[in-house]
Amino acid sequence: MMTEQASLISVVLVFYNVSVINLEAAIKSVLAQDYDCWELLLVDDGSTNHSRELAHNYARLYPHHIHYLTHERHLNLGVSASYNLGIARAKGNYLAFL
């Protein structure tokens, strides 16, 4: 549970057609943290494999912590544009990149 005194950390994870095993491991590494005042921004850079569904599922399971983002029309715009999307939507006092 987030406290008023805790600083929110925004974790930005950009992915494009990654292995669902690797994506799930990265998401679980954030979920396993002891610090509870965080948000995970899963930025899909136009994936066409099952990584997209996995990210959606985690966002549905943890709606207060995990957010799924993608570019307009689900375009592949590259890693820089994807990080910029995540940064623009981040609400935290601190940013972490995974």
Side-chain angles (χ1 to χ4, degrees):
M1 184 64 66
M2 290 190 238
T3 65
E4 289 182 42
Q5 297 166 331
S7 294
L8 180 64
I9 296 174
S10 296
V11 180
V12 179
L13 191 163
V14 171
F15 66 96
Y16 173 73
N17 287 344
V18 298
S19 155
V20 292
I21 293 170
N22 292 340
L23 180 59
E24 188 163 37
I27 293 169
K28 285 182 175 181
S29 75
V30 176
L31 289 169
Q33 299 303 307
D34 291 333
Y35 190 76
D36 194 39
C37 194
W38 55 267
E39 65 176 349
L40 174 59
L41 304 164
L42 298 173
V43 185
D44 183 353
D45 189 24
S47 295
T48 57
N49 70 353
H50 292 294
S51 59
R52 180 180 186 181
E53 289 82 18
L54 179 73
H56 269 292
N57 287 338
Y58 271 98
R60 279 191 285 269
L61 285 171
Y62 301 94
H64 298 294
H65 280 294
I66 300 178
H67 311 286
Y68 174 83
L69 306 172
T70 190
H71 301 289
E72 188 175 329
R73 295 178 298 169
H74 197 63
L75 293 174
N76 173 256
L77 299 180
V79 70
S80 296
S82 297
Y83 274 116
N84 286 339
L85 175 60
I87 292 166
R89 297 285 298 273
K91 296 176 184 162
N93 301 86
Y94 302 98
L95 288 171
F97 302 101
L98 185 61

